[in-house]
């Protein structure tokens, strides 16, 4: 059992360990597992909010085959994110993604394997390499906005998904727009993203468990064509004489080497490309959809964003992005599975417990964010986020490696939108949250009307 206890000296009084508040799984809703599962699928925010109100900052939820201890106290979150990664396993906590990403995905690895993959994946997402991709992001975004219908309702989310998929294809997969592989890759990758959101697949995943779904290849119908596309892309890139001069992420990964000098295997490349696709495409498209959903219902903030971007300023657009991700996080919580008995926040948990710091609950605490349900980007001006009070990209050594990439892409896309069109909502009321596999999306797909700026 892990517990931090100070060392006493002759000059210091003995340190009294924090008294235990409890052990095992904390209280939670008494409803049957099937009922909790239905609530989690249909009303994810409401399910968490009701349990939080009834049981406080630590409670147990049971849905599908999983049991989570949800944490809503930033002090507990800090202990989880700063704890020994060998004890707090994030890879095991992400096992629901196994059928989609594969066993070699960085999201599913722990310990030395995770660190090895992270070292290879981090460089392309930071510094000058990432900034070099901004002109392409702006080009793709401007072309997408120019294609929008004018004066009639349409759903933004599918268009954001199309946009972010093209960004992934061009920048991550390194597919040239005019190549024969581009249309094939776009078609097959879009299919896997759409099929993965089907209710029947989600229910199968929840009720049978991800290990069985993966082991028995229950999603082979959608992944086999994608596997063939990715294999073709890897083969095509390996044969390129200009591989070392290219700046797409697949080319960089083909040139990367583990500490022993070995290149990434085809399985590693395949699983990491799927990870970057699913984690980087779906989440960014959803975040952009939520940003516009919030802005069209807050015209003062929309006007300020437009003016600030026209002046070449970025502080306010960054504040809009942060406030969007605070109020509408794409994922509901981060998960860690304990590899041994551990004390967090004075509560003793047995090995095997899944601890789930709640992004949604922590980021709506009124003691941290006055008027927490209000969309107020201004609250972030001149403020640096506390990583245990604001963590839409996760935290600790497992913070999303693509966070800076996602924020850069959001900045470029929002600038392209507000500089070209005026937007209004189809209906005045806010769109409620709907589940799409593990992401939380606008229920109506962010229905808007766009008109050219006069």
């Amino acid at each position: 059992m892990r517990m931090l206890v100070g060392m006493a000296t002759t000059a210091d009084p003995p340190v009294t360990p924090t008294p235990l508040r409890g052990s095992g799984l904390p209280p939670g809703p008494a409803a049957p597992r099937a009922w909790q599962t239905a609530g989690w699928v249909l009303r994810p925010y409401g399910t968490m909010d009701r349990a939080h109100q009834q049981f406080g900052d630590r409670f147990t939820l049971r849905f599908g085959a999983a049991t989570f201890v949800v944490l809503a106290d930033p002090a507990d979150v800090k202990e989880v994110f700063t704890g020994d990664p060998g004890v707090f396993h994030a890879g095991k906590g992400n096992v629901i993604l196994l059928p989609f990403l594969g066993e070699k995905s960085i999201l599913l690895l722990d310990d030395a394997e995770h660190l090895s993959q992270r070292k290879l994946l981090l460089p392309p997402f930071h510094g000058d390499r990432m900034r070099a991709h901004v002109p392409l992001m702006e080009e793709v975004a401007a072309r997408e906005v120019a294609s929008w219908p004018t004066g009639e309702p349409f759903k933004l989310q599918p268009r954001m998904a199309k946009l972010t998929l093209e960004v992934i294809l061009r920048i991550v997969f390194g597919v040239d727009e005019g190549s024969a592989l581009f249309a094939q890759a776009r078609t097959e990758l879009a299919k896997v993203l759409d099929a993965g959101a089907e209710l029947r697949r989600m229910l199968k995943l929840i009720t049978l468990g991800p290990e069985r779904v993966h082991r028995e290849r229950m999603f082979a119908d959608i992944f086999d064509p994608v596997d063939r596309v990715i294999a073709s892309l890897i083969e095509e890139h390996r044969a390129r004489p200009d591989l070392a001069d290219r700046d797409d992420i697949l080319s960089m990964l083909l040139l990367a080497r583990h500490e022993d000098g070995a290149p990434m295997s085809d399985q590693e490349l395949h699983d990491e490309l799927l990870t970057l696709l699913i984690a980087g495409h779906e989440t960014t498209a959803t975040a952009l959809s939520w940003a516009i959903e919030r802005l069209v219902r807050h015209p003062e903030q929309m006007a300020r964003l437009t003016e600030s971007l026209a002046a070449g300023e970025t502080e306010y657009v960054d504040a809009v992005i942060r406030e969007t991700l605070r109020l509408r996080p794409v994922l509901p919580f981060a998960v860690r599975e304990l590899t041994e008995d551990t004390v967090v926040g004075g509560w003793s948990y047995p090995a095997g417990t899944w601890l789930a710091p709640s992004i949604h609950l922590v980021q709506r605490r009124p003691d941290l964010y006055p008027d927490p349900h209000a969309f107020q980007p201004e609250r972030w001006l001149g403020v640096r986020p506390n990583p245990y009070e604001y963590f839409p990209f996760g935290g600790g050594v497992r913070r999303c490696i693509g966070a800076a990439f996602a924020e850069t892409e959001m900045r470029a896309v929002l600038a392209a939108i507000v500089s070209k069109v005026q937007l209004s909502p189809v209906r005045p009321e806010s769109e409620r949250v709907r589940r799409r596999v593990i992401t939380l999306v606008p229920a109506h797909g962010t229905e808007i009307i766009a008109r050219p700026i006069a």
Side-chain angles (χ1 to χ4, degrees):
M1 179 178 297
R2 298 288 178 100
M3 185 183 301
L4 298 178
V5 181
M7 294 283 293
T9 70
T10 55
D12 298 318
V15 176
T16 303
T18 303
L20 288 177
R21 303 174 187 174
S23 62
L25 298 181
R33 186 177 288 268
W35 187 258
Q36 291 190 47
T37 301
W40 178 246
V41 171
L42 300 174
R43 298 292 300 273
Y45 280 178
T47 297
M48 282 191 290
D49 289 340
R50 285 191 297 273
H52 188 219
Q53 292 168 6
Q54 183 176 358
F55 299 102
D57 288 340
R58 178 189 299 106
F59 55 89
T60 301
L61 287 181
R62 297 173 173 84
F63 41 84
T67 298
F68 294 92
V69 174
V70 180
L71 303 177
D73 185 336
D76 289 359
V77 174
K78 182 177 181 179
E79 288 193 43
V80 172
F81 286 168
T82 60
D84 181 354
V87 175
F88 296 87
H89 268 188
K92 289 184 179 179
N94 290 329
V95 70
I96 193 171
L97 298 172
L98 176 61
F100 300 97
L101 307 182
E103 296 172 354
K104 294 298 182 181
S105 165
I106 189 174
L107 294 180
L108 293 161
L109 298 175
D110 286 300
D111 302 325
E113 277 193 294
H114 170 259
L115 290 176
S116 179
Q117 291 295 89
R118 193 173 182 89
K119 287 178 182 178
L120 298 183
L121 289 172
L122 269 174
F125 288 99
H126 289 277
D128 292 339
R129 286 179 171 177
M130 185 191 68
R131 286 188 288 272
H133 297 306
V134 171
L136 180 54
M137 293 176 179
E138 293 173 339
E139 173 196 326
V140 174
R143 187 167 62 246
E144 169 58 35
V145 175
S147 73
W148 290 358
T150 59
E152 59 184 70
F154 68 96
K155 293 185 177 184
L156 181 69
Q157 187 173 3
R159 293 176 176 272
M160 289 294 95
K162 176 175 172 287
L163 186 160
T164 57
L165 177 57
E166 182 170 348
V167 168
I168 291 288
L169 284 172
R170 302 278 299 279
I171 295 175
V172 175
F173 287 69
V175 186
D176 298 329
E177 188 177 13
S179 72
L181 270 175
F182 185 83
Q184 181 188 6
R186 181 167 58 185
T187 299
E188 296 300 342
L189 294 176
K191 283 180 184 177
V192 75
L193 292 163
D194 291 338
E198 293 174 0
L199 180 60
R200 65 183 179 88
R201 295 186 192 272
M202 184 169 65
L203 291 176
K204 184 179 291 186
L205 190 66
I206 291 174
T207 56
L208 299 181
E211 292 97 338
R212 181 179 172 187
V213 170
H214 178 67
R215 184 175 61 253
E216 299 182 11
R217 303 188 73 249
M218 295 182 182
F219 294 169
D221 59 316
I222 59 171
F223 279 101
D224 282 353
V226 170
D227 293 346
R228 290 191 289 270
V229 168
I230 292 178
S232 297
L233 286 171
I234 293 172
E235 182 181 0
E236 187 262 352
H237 270 64
R238 279 208 177 103
R240 282 181 174 269
D242 63 342
L243 182 65
D245 299 323
R246 294 177 60 83
D247 62 357
D248 61 88
I249 291 172
L250 174 54
S251 294
M252 296 181 195
L253 294 181
L254 282 165
L255 295 170
R257 294 294 180 269
H258 290 287
E259 290 185 356
D260 63 1
M264 295 179 71
S265 67
D266 282 4
Q267 189 63 51
E268 288 176 312
L269 289 166
H270 169 277
D271 292 358
E272 299 303 6
L273 287 173
L274 271 181
T275 298
L276 296 174
L277 167 70
I278 294 175
H281 159 274
E282 178 83 5
T283 54
T284 305
T286 299
L288 282 164
S289 300
W290 276 125
I292 295 300
E293 190 278 338
R294 291 290 78 206
L295 285 165
V296 294
R297 290 171 174 81
H298 295 83
E300 290 185 10
Q301 282 81 1
M302 176 71 90
R304 183 169 181 178
L305 174 65
T306 304
E307 292 169 4
S308 67
L309 286 170
E313 301 168 357
T314 61
E315 184 183 20
Y316 195 73
V317 69
D318 288 343
V320 167
I321 292 170
R322 285 178 181 168
E323 184 69 347
T324 299
L325 294 175
R326 182 190 72 82
L327 271 177
R328 298 291 191 271
V330 176
L331 302 174
F333 42 58
V335 181
R336 303 289 190 271
E337 181 180 352
L338 298 178
T339 61
E340 60 183 66
D341 296 354
T342 308
V343 174
V344 173
W347 195 282
S348 178
Y349 299 100
T353 300
W354 282 16
L355 299 182
S358 173
I359 302 169
H360 164 71
L361 293 176
V362 172
Q363 292 181 177
R364 291 190 178 214
R365 288 180 66 104
D367 56 336
L368 302 177
Y369 302 99
D371 198 5
H373 301 291
F375 180 72
Q376 297 176 352
E378 293 75 14
R379 73 172 84 236
W380 293 108
L381 298 178
V383 174
R384 183 169 182 163
N386 181 308
Y388 314 116
E389 299 173 358
Y390 173 85
F391 49 99
F393 295 102
V397 297
R398 301 301 297 239
R399 189 174 187 271
C400 175
I401 61 171
F405 186 94
E407 291 172 333
T408 299
E409 185 177 359
M410 289 185 70
R411 197 179 298 123
V413 174
L414 289 173
I417 291 173
V418 303
S419 66
K420 298 297 183 182
V421 292
Q422 292 179 326
L423 303 175
S424 58
V426 170
R427 58 182 64 81
E429 64 273 13
S430 300
E431 293 196 23
R432 64 179 181 82
V433 174
R434 178 177 66 83
R435 173 173 296 286
R436 179 180 161 94
V437 190
I438 64 168
T439 55
L440 305 176
V441 303
H444 298 290
T446 305
E447 287 188 307
I448 56 172
I449 298 172
R451 294 180 174 85
I453 294 177

